[in-house]
Amino acid sequence: MKNGNQIMAEALKEQGLTYVFGIMGHPVIDLALSMQAAGLQYLGFRNEQAACYAAQAYGYLTRKPAVVLCVSGPGLLHVIGGMANAQVNCWPVLVLGGSCPEDHEGIGGFQEWPQVEASRPYCKYAARPPSAALIPMHVEKAVRLATYGRPGAVYLDLPATLLTQSVDESKIIKVSPCPSPPLSYPDERLIEQAANLLIKAKRPLVIVGKGAAYGRAEVPARDLVYSTDVPFLPTPMGKGVVPDTDERCVSSARTYALLHSDVVLLLGARLNWMLHFGRPPRFQSNVRVIQIDLCAEELHNSVSSAVAIQADIAPATECLANTLKGRKWRVDRNGPWWKDLAMKAEKNKRSVHRMSLDTSVPLNYYTVFKHIQDVMPSDCIICSEGANTMDIGRTILLNNLPRHRLDAGTFGTMGVGLGFAIAAALYCKDNAPKKRVICVEGDSAFGFSGMEIETMFRYKLPVIIMIINNNGIYNGFDTETFRQIQASGDPTQVTPPFTLTSETHYEKLMEMFGRKGHFCTTVQDIQQALKVSLKVMDSPSLINIMINPQADRKEQQFNWLTESKL
């Protein structure tokens, strides 16, 4: 005989899942223990949202969902924020929620809540196994739906009565492990149409998206770019699919490239707010779009694509690269398109470089990131969140490897940073023990999940947390101005909503664990702290960098968010 706890734990193991992230409690205490007994690796978090952020990031890095375990009612409610983020980001994650005993439903059971119905809008599949014997079938289906097609979140509801139900082993449904998702190959006629459009283009541009990173398309994407000399732009988490340091990367001329391109090839990138919907004023009104996406429903979204190819990114990109090479097409590096891009990129690079040379205290963003970039390993995984911290950081902190940047993503979610960093550290532990994870946080963003430092200590994860501290959300005030504001009246009336306490010593959190953090105000402080932290391999490090509270990004031609004209 086996009970539902044992059946669930063994079903997860049989599907090849490795990690469980969560917070245990009634009614999943025995389930957590059963998971460890079955050989799963369990990490307890301090907040369910952070656990879900970690699980989905691990799914993105490995293409295999990790598990989130939460208690009933409020526990699942906290997780739903993470489920929504995974669904919008298209990352696989499997959520298991304990729930009220079935014989207590409808009469006010402990933490009773309609959990399947509540989860359904935020995931691809939500179900409650009707009996413990059927748990393996639902686990296999959940894994399959989380990973097949466009990846996303799935939810299984586990009432206390289901988990304690005993079943004869002969009655338990036997299910084979879910095979890897099948590849979808492109229509060769559409590849020819795409090639013809690119060959006729005067100002072609490739945009490499997060879908190309998830789809392991780095080899064909690099082949395409290298063999044709076509300029490319990465989206924030498309960075590294083709190296940021490659001379064909035109990130420094992003606005110009988008505005003046006449044919745009999208490799796993969506024309959502991050790419200004593919519409004027950011794009020409007559721009021709070639779209390659795994999800058919994404095709022609926002604008009508000239060529829309439904396929996995890697095989489609390989086919297109081979076709273009066969046609001996190459963008003229001495032609007007490349000259204009190079001129604009060089102008912007000079502007950023000039700002990064200003080492006066308090420091600005560009100086801070330039000197972090100078010291950090070139192959580290960068996790980043926070408004200016994330946006400016992505332009200076470079990635030359795919899936080595994790940030707020399509949903723009704050609070993901430390959870993402924990997932990345586990990925490194299993696959590249010497690789480092650097988590670059705004001070506001850090506040969402700061106590996950304790989780990092408990599991000996050597994440380097760098807080770019400007005393606020977007910006704040210096200590004297903040003191005067607070003294001028009721703090709830006089303290601006964007303001946080000035010069908070977040690094002192490390003292709770018998370690020392780093408080930095100068370039020398930053470089020394990072060098010391890179030597620590058994626990997290925390570097608190004070910058000018009024520091901002360089002047932009456009606001970063395209506003509706309706």
Side-chain angles (χ1 to χ4, degrees):
M1 299 289 286
K2 290 185 177 179
N3 63 29
N5 291 310
Q6 295 168 305
I7 296 169
M8 172 57 74
E10 291 172 8
L12 296 170
K13 185 70 174 176
E14 287 165 5
Q15 290 302 321
L17 305 190
T18 305
Y19 283 105
V20 181
F21 306 102
I23 297 179
M24 57 147 286
H26 182 79
V28 295
I29 297 171
D30 287 341
L31 178 55
L33 297 171
S34 296
M35 288 172 165
Q36 288 184 314
L40 295 164
Q41 299 184 60
Y42 179 89
L43 286 86
F45 278 66
R46 303 304 299 267
N47 179 282
E48 290 95 347
Q49 270 193 35
C52 195
Y53 296 144
Q56 64 195 252
Y58 192 82
Y60 169 69
L61 293 169
T62 65
R63 290 170 59 102
K64 196 79 171 176
V67 179
V68 181
L69 180 66
C70 63
V71 302
S72 49
L76 177 63
L77 185 58
H78 291 167
V79 167
I80 280 179
M83 290 173 66
N85 191 69
Q87 190 70 0
V88 174
N89 252 3
C90 310
W91 290 357
V93 66
L94 169 55
V95 177
L96 304 178
S99 61
C100 170
E102 290 170 287
D103 55 338
H104 291 181
E105 290 180 341
I107 56 173
F110 175 66
Q111 295 184 332
E112 182 183 352
W113 195 42
Q115 297 184 185
V116 175
E117 295 85 347
S119 300
R120 192 162 281 132
Y122 310 102
C123 60
K124 293 178 68 179
Y125 175 65
R128 171 186 288 183
S131 71
L134 293 173
I135 285 174
M137 181 186 77
H138 284 272
V139 170
E140 187 278 336
K141 184 174 183 180
V143 171
R144 180 159 36 89
L145 294 186
T147 54
Y148 279 37
R150 172 176 278 181
V154 292
Y155 174 69
L156 292 180
D157 195 56
L158 307 175
T161 40
L162 179 76
L163 294 174
T164 57
Q165 185 181 104
S166 292
V167 181
D168 187 282
E169 288 194 47
S170 64
K171 301 293 176 74
I172 300 171
I173 298 294
K174 304 297 182 185
V175 181
S176 299
C178 175
S180 298
L183 283 177
S184 177
Y185 284 83
D187 184 326
E188 292 183 5
R189 294 170 299 178
L190 294 177
I191 292 293
E192 284 291 337
Q193 291 178 27
N196 289 337
L197 200 57
L198 284 167
I199 289 169
K200 293 175 183 177
K202 294 182 179 179
R203 298 179 301 279
L205 178 69
V206 173
I207 298 179
V208 182
K210 180 176 70 225
Y214 183 85
R216 298 335 193 233
E218 54 267 23
V219 172
R222 293 178 185 196
D223 185 32
L224 172 66
V225 170
Y226 297 165
S227 64
T228 64
D229 281 335
V230 63
F232 78 93
L233 279 175
T235 64
M237 276 190 277
K239 285 163 62 68
V241 172
V242 184
D244 284 347
T245 53
D246 186 83
E247 59 189 2
R248 303 165 189 86
C249 180
V250 291
S251 289
S252 296
R254 182 182 190 273
T255 297
Y256 186 89
L258 295 178
L259 183 60
H260 293 279
S261 56
D262 60 354
V263 173
V264 173
L265 169 62
L266 299 175
L267 299 180
R270 293 178 278 180
L271 289 178
N272 54 23
W273 67 273
M274 298 181 82
L275 288 173
H276 319 291
F277 314 107
R279 300 174 181 175
R282 301 305 188 91
F283 289 79
Q284 295 187 52
S285 59
N286 60 348
V287 66
R288 309 294 298 280
V289 175
I290 302 166
Q291 192 175 11
I292 302 177
D293 202 284
L294 178 64
C295 180
E297 290 80 1
E298 188 62 39
L299 302 177
H300 305 294
N301 191 33
S302 182
V303 299
S304 181
S305 297
V307 183
I309 302 171
Q310 189 270 320
D312 276 273
I313 309 301
T317 305
E318 181 180 7
C319 289
L320 182 57
N322 288 338
T323 300
L324 292 170
K325 285 191 289 184
R327 304 273 289 274
K328 294 182 168 52
W329 177 68
R330 206 175 195 101
V331 181
D332 184 2
R333 293 293 296 274
N334 295 312
W337 179 225
W338 259 117
K339 284 184 177 179
D340 290 344
L341 287 170
M343 186 183 306
K344 189 65 177 179
E346 184 58 32
K347 179 182 177 181
N348 287 336
K349 286 178 181 177
R350 283 198 303 267
S351 175
V352 169
H353 181 66
R354 184 169 57 250
M355 290 166 46
S356 71
L357 292 178
D358 180 5
T359 59
S360 61
V361 175
L363 299 170
N364 67 60
Y365 285 105
Y366 295 89
T367 301
V368 168
F369 289 132
K370 192 267 184 188
H371 289 88
I372 291 173
Q373 172 68 30
D374 287 347
V375 175
M376 75 178 190
S378 61
D379 67 341
C380 67
I381 296 179
I382 303 169
C383 304
S384 186
E385 61 174 334
N388 291 339
T389 295
M390 180 176 64
D391 294 338
I392 298 172
R394 78 163 62 100
T395 68
I396 301 175
L397 303 179
L398 304 180
N399 294 97
N400 289 328
L401 296 171
R403 299 170 297 281
H404 277 57
R405 179 181 170 86
L406 301 166
D407 70 17
T410 310
F411 213 21
T413 306
M414 291 295 106
V416 297
L418 271 64
F420 282 5
I422 289 170
L426 292 172
Y427 175 80
C428 292
K429 178 175 75 75
D430 294 341
N431 297 280
K434 293 184 179 180
K435 189 184 293 289
R436 301 308 305 271
V437 176
I438 297 181
C439 186
V440 184
E441 300 271 301
D443 50 331
S444 171
F446 175 75
F448 283 83
S449 57
M451 276 311 299
E452 299 305 335
I453 287 180
E454 189 273 330
T455 306
M456 295 177 182
F457 267 103
R458 201 171 352 123
Y459 296 108
K460 301 182 179 180
L461 301 175
V463 174
I464 299 172
I465 303 166
M466 307 190 79
I467 301 174
I468 313 302
N469 190 347
N470 70 347
N471 301 336
I473 303 169
Y474 301 111
N475 51 58
F477 293 109
D478 61 76
T479 300
E480 179 57 26
T481 304
F482 180 75
R483 186 193 65 77
Q484 291 176 6
I485 290 171
Q486 293 256 296
S488 65
D490 182 344
T492 64
Q493 290 288 303
V494 300
T495 305
F498 57 79
T499 306
L500 299 175
T501 304
S502 66
E503 207 164 297
T504 301
H505 283 266
Y506 296 105
E507 79 283 354
K508 290 188 177 294
L509 288 170
M510 300 293 286
E511 295 178 15
M512 296 190 295
F513 309 100
R515 299 293 179 92
K516 290 287 186 181
H518 304 271
F519 182 75
C520 303
T521 59
T522 68
V523 164
Q524 292 76 18
D525 290 344
I526 295 168
Q527 293 191 328
Q528 179 62 24
L530 185 50
K531 289 174 182 177
V532 169
S533 298
L534 286 168
K535 296 177 183 177
V536 178
M537 296 300 294
D538 64 344
S539 64
S541 303
L542 196 154
I543 302 170
N544 183 19
I545 303 170
M546 294 303 309
I547 67 169
N548 185 342
Q550 298 300 311
D552 205 346
R553 66 190 78 196
K554 73 181 182 68
E555 184 178 349
Q556 300 286 319
Q557 182 175 346
F558 288 109
N559 290 327
W560 65 272
L561 181 63
T562 301
E563 298 295 342
S564 172
K565 300 299 185 292
L566 298 178

